[in-house]
Amino acid sequence: MPDLKKSKGWQYFQNTKFFRDKLLDIQPLRIGPGTEKEKKVKGKLFSLECPKEDAFVSILQKRRSVRNFTDQSLSFQEMSYLLFAAYGVTGRAGFYALKTSPSAGGLYPCQVYVQVNRVEKLSPGFYFFSPEHNSLTLYKKGDFSESMASCCLGQSFVQMAAVNIIISAIFRQNMIKYGHRGLRYILLDAGHMMQNVLLASANLNLGSCPVGAFFDDELNELMELDGQEESVVYLCSVGKLAPMET
């Protein structure tokens, strides 16, 4: 592959980062309207059957983005469940670890971190999740709830969440094989992982909301990532559901 910093995928990622002092300078692209939401295709029409209610369909129906959390803590078991759903090891194929989410070429370039605000048995701080050992390592202790919200464009629910599950990518780990196209696969990997977290949250009756808007370099610095070889690509706020307003 070409040098990492010369690859189109890496350059695209760097060139689309959010910066606090340049956010208001971003101009909308004059792309124009897209095609119809539902494409009109001529041919014979087949009406599909509605799925019968089962455990999986019930979880799909429950999944919604939630931005209103209580101040209750997650249990350690709930935290463990979410992380296993995201990236847990489910088997082996030779040297490859098979996980709960698919990855192009079995390379698994994504990493999982947790910014803990309120979890039983865990101190507030940043943790690294090791799927191989099914363990968490506290590497930066402290209350970073306000800093997390600030990095995420001031979105207050990020601060109120019990945890923020953060997905980063080590670009070289994927792009050494897939070159320019590698970034596509990295982002697909992150999407697979995030959907697992969202469905697992729904299954536990927890609220969750995926977040893609953040000041990249500020969040990387807060998490002690270099932003060049490894950078945040996605995160999810999770917490106990607040009562619905009536």
Side-chain angles (χ1 to χ4, degrees):
M1 77 170 241
D3 181 75
L4 177 65
K5 294 184 179 181
K6 293 181 180 179
S7 69
K8 295 176 182 178
W10 187 91
Q11 291 175 5
Y12 167 82
F13 189 85
Q14 300 298 327
N15 290 333
T16 53
K17 285 182 175 180
F18 277 169
F19 296 95
R20 193 178 295 274
D21 59 345
K22 297 179 181 178
L23 194 61
L24 296 179
D25 297 333
I26 298 175
Q27 298 295 321
L29 298 178
R30 299 181 181 277
I31 295 175
T35 57
E36 295 182 44
K37 190 171 183 179
E38 287 200 15
K39 190 174 181 180
K40 304 300 182 183
V41 179
K42 294 181 179 180
K44 187 176 180 180
L45 181 67
F46 294 87
S47 295
L48 301 175
E49 296 181 5
C50 292
K52 295 180 180 179
E53 185 74 20
D54 61 19
F56 183 65
V57 170
S58 176
I59 294 170
L60 293 177
Q61 291 176 334
K62 286 169 63 176
R63 192 223 58 80
R64 293 290 184 273
S65 292
V66 174
R67 298 174 178 83
N68 193 16
F69 307 115
T70 71
D71 59 2
Q72 291 177 278
S73 298
L74 296 190
S75 70
F76 189 76
Q77 291 76 18
E78 288 171 328
M79 182 77 269
S80 301
Y81 188 98
L82 293 174
L83 292 175
F84 176 79
Y87 225 33
V89 175
T90 57
R92 298 275 176 184
F95 293 106
Y96 292 93
L98 306 178
K99 298 180 181 178
T100 52
S101 59
S103 178
L107 298 177
Y108 292 104
C110 291
Q111 306 290 307
V112 178
Y113 298 84
V114 188
Q115 185 264 317
V116 169
N117 291 324
R118 297 178 305 281
V119 176
E120 295 172 1
K121 300 183 181 180
L122 297 179
S123 300
F126 281 102
Y127 292 76
F128 174 73
F129 172 56
S130 171
E132 294 283 344
H133 300 98
N134 194 31
S135 63
L136 284 173
T137 300
L138 173 62
Y139 72 94
K140 189 174 182 179
K141 190 175 181 178
D143 179 358
F144 299 102
S145 57
E146 188 174 342
S147 299
M148 279 293 299
S150 178
C151 288
C152 294
L153 280 64
Q155 297 178 87
S156 59
F157 68 89
V158 176
Q159 181 175 352
M160 292 301 300
V163 299
N164 290 293
I165 297 175
I166 306 162
I167 301 172
S168 74
I170 299 176
F171 301 107
R172 193 178 299 272
Q173 192 166 318
N174 172 285
M175 297 172 77
I176 194 170
K177 178 176 181 179
Y178 292 115
H180 297 299
R181 195 175 179 86
L183 181 64
R184 294 194 189 205
Y185 301 143
I186 289 172
L187 299 181
L188 289 172
D189 279 16
H192 300 319
M193 296 165 66
M194 182 61 69
Q195 184 71 343
N196 281 5
V197 172
L198 299 175
L199 294 179
S201 298
N203 194 42
L204 294 174
N205 292 314
L206 300 174
S208 63
C209 184
V211 179
F214 45 83
F215 296 114
D216 303 68
D217 288 344
E218 289 186 24
L219 184 52
N220 285 326
E221 182 177 359
L222 182 65
M223 294 177 58
E224 301 181 358
L225 306 182
D226 66 8
Q228 302 293 308
E229 292 285 333
E230 180 181 2
S231 185
V232 175
V233 295
Y234 213 176
L235 65 97
C236 184
S237 299
V238 183
K240 295 286 186 178
L241 286 165
M244 296 291 291
E245 295 182 1
T246 58

